[in-house]
Amino acid sequence: MNILILGSGGREHAFAKKLSESKKLSKLFLAPGNAGTAKIATNIAINPTDFEAVKKVVLENNIEMVVVGPEAPLVAGVHDFFLADADLKNIPVIGPKKDGAELEGSKEFSKKFMFKHGVPTAKYEAFTKETVAEGQTFLETLQPPFVLKADGLAAGKGVLILDNLEEAKMELADMLTNEKFGAASSKVVIEEYLDGIELSVFVLTDGKDYKILPSAKDYKRIGEGDKGLNTGGMGAISPVPFADKDFLTKVEERVVKPTVNGLQKDGIDYRGFIFIGLMNIDGEPFVIEYNVRMGDPETEAVLPRITSDLLDLFEGVATQTIASKSYEVDPRTATTVVVVSGGYPEAYENGKVIRGTENDVDSIVYHAGTTFNQNGEIVSAGGRVLAVTSFGDDIPSALNKSYKTIDQISFEKMNYRKDIGFDLV
Ligand code: AMP
Ligand code: GLY
């Protein structure tokens, strides 16, 4: 089977590596991919939200399945585009249509969905430019910290958590009247603060049934001790020690089943990943958010642990036979440490020559933001540059390998957190 993966990050490199291990794979393409995927697949330099360009690539290369990495093409309707096109409609897309992608595309939509289907989550109200004053009055009824969320996609930056009521009122007005986060904050969800430990659970569904993949914990802040600005993710660990059998059973019964059944009841034919961001509060799961794709860097810790054929699972999604599929998991711990450009998540420079990525005996060095310069050297091309994953019998031994591998990698101003998993050991 010929496969096209849309996207260019560490997540997509991890998909590419896992799919390239499948006996069922013929040729693998990425659009646009990175310097790491160039080693194991063919990169094609198009923008994944340019659907006409995607169509051309699919037809020219006899692509038989499309795997969508990031949310943007899904929210923009890439799956709907395929279904509406006579030449593409029989080519399966792993990723929901626009209706399902709203679970990530609109916070209000996802909150309404959770309340409708009895999925545990924080209480909330949504406000617009016309109802700023009501929003401010609502804030007065809540206890700090105050959680304000831009309704639309804001590249992971649209959530504010504030301790001070006056500041929260001001920020609400700024988000709504001045569109602080662009059109994404023309509506704002205010919700109750959930105090617990976060983790992510990943579900792959064919619209009828589902498989729950290994869980992971992500480290979002730039600074050690979870301090400083939010990033796309600085590291990940799978499995999550506190997500024991009892907790995961609660997640399946209270969250996964009502979510998959709710999609069906609402007439949303969802085929792809559901990434459930959860808060564990004294052993009880609450949903923080849905994403309609895999997490990055969680994918780089989760997929290497899946020892069976991922393409076989994807076929299960495409043919709605996932119930009859099974998969196996490596019981060891996988840890991922993300290496970023100096300055990230604020301004940083691209084009730094990266050395040492071939030192990958004890780890998998996934590329995230890399490309080639005119001399054919690997250079940085993004905030998150590499994601280094290693296995171990426990978190410290796996992390040790990742840090040793990173010691042999260098580029100007590189930065990474040296305390991934600090709260778990
Ligand atoms: P989201 O984009 O909804 O995942 O929010 C970003 C981050 O903000 C989450 O990963 C949580 O760490 C935090 N967060 C979001 N909603 C809440 C909440 N209701 N209570 C506490 N923390 C939250
Ligand atoms: N690592 C968080 C995300 O992918 O949204």
Side-chain angles (χ1 to χ4, degrees), residues 274-303:
I274 310 173
F275 160 167
I276 306 173
L278 289 169
M279 200 67 95
N280 174 335
I281 307 179
D282 300 325
E284 307 300 316
F286 289 83
V287 175
I288 301 172
E289 62 163 352
Y290 292 114
N291 294 305
V292 298
R293 52 176 173 83
M294 282 295 286
D296 194 351
E298 293 94 322
T299 306
E300 293 95 298
V302 167
L303 283 193

Side-chain angles (χ1 to χ4, degrees), residues 90-110:
N90 294 320
I91 299 169
V93 175
I94 307 300
K97 300 192 300 278
K98 237 177 169 166
D99 55 1
E102 276 296 275
L103 282 183
E104 177 165 358
S106 164
K107 299 274 187 202
E108 190 189 24
F109 177 88
S110 74

Side-chain angles (χ1 to χ4, degrees), residues 131-423:
T131 55
V132 177
E134 284 92 326
Q136 291 174 328
T137 310
F138 179 65
L139 280 169
E140 287 170 9
T141 70
L142 299 176
Q143 295 299 315
F146 305 97
V147 182
L148 308 182
K149 298 186 174 185
D151 180 63
L153 291 184
K157 296 192 179 84
V159 176
L160 297 179
I161 299 183
L162 304 160
D163 288 318
N164 181 286
L165 176 64
E166 289 315 311
E167 198 188 346
K169 285 179 169 176
M170 233 173 59
E171 288 288 357
L172 177 71
D174 198 25
M175 284 168 94
L176 289 171
T177 12
N178 303 329
E179 300 205 344
K180 176 172 178 162
F181 299 108
S185 67
S186 58
K187 196 182 272 173
V188 171
V189 165
I190 301 179
E191 65 178 44
E192 199 180 42
Y193 182 78
L194 298 172
D195 194 5
I197 325 178
E198 246 180 290
L199 75 155
S200 305
V201 168
F202 303 96
V203 175
L204 182 61
T205 179
D206 62 4
K208 294 201 296 201
D209 221 304
Y210 61 85
K211 289 280 179 272
I212 299 179
L213 305 179
S215 55
K217 189 170 194 305
D218 168 26
Y219 291 80
K220 286 202 175 86
R221 304 296 190 101
I222 186 69
E224 285 166 14
D226 283 342
K227 301 268 163 32
L229 294 175
N230 252 325
T231 70
M234 296 294 290
I237 286 180
S238 176
V240 183
F242 63 79
D244 56 16
K245 220 173 158 190
D246 188 36
F247 179 75
L248 289 175
T249 303
K250 288 181 188 168
V251 171
E252 175 159 19
E253 293 303 320
R254 297 182 198 169
V255 177
V256 177
K257 283 185 182 168
T259 298
V260 172
N261 293 339
L263 287 166
Q264 276 180 54
K265 280 184 199 154
D266 289 353
I268 297 174
D269 178 18
Y270 193 112
R271 314 226 185 154
F273 291 100
I274 310 173
F275 160 167
I276 306 173
L278 289 169
M279 200 67 95
N280 174 335
I281 307 179
D282 300 325
E284 307 300 316
F286 289 83
V287 175
I288 301 172
E289 62 163 352
Y290 292 114
N291 294 305
V292 298
R293 52 176 173 83
M294 282 295 286
D296 194 351
E298 293 94 322
T299 306
E300 293 95 298
V302 167
L303 283 193
R305 294 188 60 225
I306 297 179
T307 50
S308 41
D309 187 348
L310 182 65
L311 182 43
D312 187 50
L313 281 182
F314 284 171
E315 280 185 330
V317 173
T319 56
Q320 291 198 298
T321 55
I322 203 161
S324 69
K325 305 284 183 187
S326 60
Y327 77 96
E328 274 142 47
V329 176
D330 188 326
R332 290 176 301 162
T333 292
T335 61
T336 302
V337 178
V338 176
V339 183
V340 303
S341 300
Y344 173 81
E346 295 181 283
Y348 58 85
E349 292 162 34
N350 284 326
K352 305 294 183 194
V353 177
I354 304 165
R355 300 196 200 283
T357 54
E358 66 288 355
N359 296 315
D360 58 357
V361 245
D362 286 328
S363 309
I364 311 170
V365 180
Y366 293 113
H367 289 229
T370 67
T371 186
F372 297 103
N373 67 12
Q374 288 143 328
N375 306 326
E377 295 166 307
I378 299 171
V379 295
S380 62
R384 294 191 291 170
V385 178
L386 302 167
V388 179
T389 298
S390 313
F391 279 101
D393 290 328
D394 53 26
I395 295 172
S397 64
L399 277 171
N400 228 345
K401 289 185 198 162
S402 288
Y403 293 133
K404 275 195 176 143
T405 299
I406 293 171
D407 277 343
Q408 302 183 62
I409 295 174
S410 64
F411 62 91
E412 204 184 309
K413 296 185 186 163
M414 72 182 240
N415 180 31
Y416 61 96
R417 271 179 67 170
K418 293 155 198 79
D419 72 335
I420 299 304
F422 75 96
D423 54 338

